[in-house]
Amino acid sequence: SLRGKRIQIRYNPFDLSTIQIWKDDERFDDAKPAVLHNQSHSKLPDDADHDRTPAGVSSFLEQLKKQQEEEKRKQVGTTSFARLKEKQTGGE
């Protein structure tokens, strides 16, 4: 009965359990929260199909990561614990 009419909605922003509807100082039934559902379309693929990464991209990223790790190793160099121990003991 209120469709298309100007109404006033009263509520507590910290407690949305009660939402009052008023028009011309007359209180109507409290508003009921809408029940929202995930919409899906029968012709769209399932979400599980979207989670898969194409094999080409995955292997490319793995190669890129390996290449980056090799470059870091070259920049830092390798640590020889035997040589490190020799330096600490004075070459004994």
Side-chain angles (χ1 to χ4, degrees):
S1 66
L2 297 173
R3 186 174 293 174
K5 298 182 181 176
R6 189 174 204 83
I7 61 171
Q8 186 180 44
I9 299 174
R10 298 179 187 172
Y11 62 94
N12 179 351
F14 300 105
D15 180 18
L16 296 176
S17 61
T18 304
I19 301 174
Q20 299 175 350
I21 307 296
W22 292 78
K23 179 170 177 22
D24 300 327
D25 295 326
E26 180 185 351
R27 184 175 177 183
F28 288 80
D29 291 337
D30 291 345
K32 296 177 183 138
V35 179
L36 302 177
H37 301 282
N38 285 339
Q39 296 181 358
S40 61
H41 195 279
S42 61
K43 293 184 179 179
L44 292 176
D46 291 337
D47 290 338
D49 293 340
H50 295 294
D51 293 337
R52 296 182 190 153
T53 305
V57 174
S58 178
S59 64
F60 175 73
L61 292 176
E62 288 174 11
Q63 288 176 345
L64 235 147
K65 186 176 178 181
K66 287 179 184 177
Q67 182 182 359
Q68 190 177 32
E69 288 174 359
E70 287 177 26
E71 289 175 8
K72 283 183 186 178
R73 282 191 197 109
K74 288 178 185 176
Q75 289 175 354
V76 174
T78 57
T79 303
S80 172
F81 291 104
R83 280 191 253 147
L84 184 63
K85 188 174 180 180
E86 287 177 6
K87 287 182 182 178
Q88 288 177 348
T89 58
E92 294 178 7

